[in-house]
Amino acid sequence: GCTMTHPHAEARALYEYGIMHVRRGEPRQAQDRLEEAIAIFRRLGARPWIERAEHALAELDSGLRSS
């Protein structure tokens, strides 16, 4: 929810969950997690993490289209 005392840690956890879903072949869940993570990273201005999460999202996207 909105009671984040450690938003960066939460966003990184969401990112890790997203990657885990990607590896498990669960694109829907992966997309949800990664988009949540990106939203938090953007609020924090955490550019390297935004790029990482967006890269993962882009790979997920191309994977969805190729199958």
Side-chain angles (χ1 to χ4, degrees):
C2 291
T3 56
M4 288 192 283
T5 45
H6 304 287
H8 196 273
E10 176 149 342
R12 280 178 55 187
L14 285 164
Y15 168 78
E16 296 296 337
Y17 277 122
I19 298 302
M20 183 189 73
H21 286 304
V22 171
R23 293 205 181 109
R24 285 184 180 172
E26 299 166 342
R28 202 52 66 237
Q29 293 94 320
Q31 188 177 11
D32 288 347
R33 297 285 182 277
L34 289 169
E35 283 175 352
E36 276 182 72
I38 289 168
I40 299 170
F41 288 139
R42 282 212 178 108
R43 254 199 341 261
L44 298 172
R47 175 129 318 276
W49 284 98
I50 295 168
E51 285 170 9
R52 257 179 238 186
E54 284 180 339
H55 185 73
L57 208 52
E59 282 189 355
L60 183 67
D61 215 40
S62 62
L64 285 177
R65 273 200 293 274
S66 68
S67 58

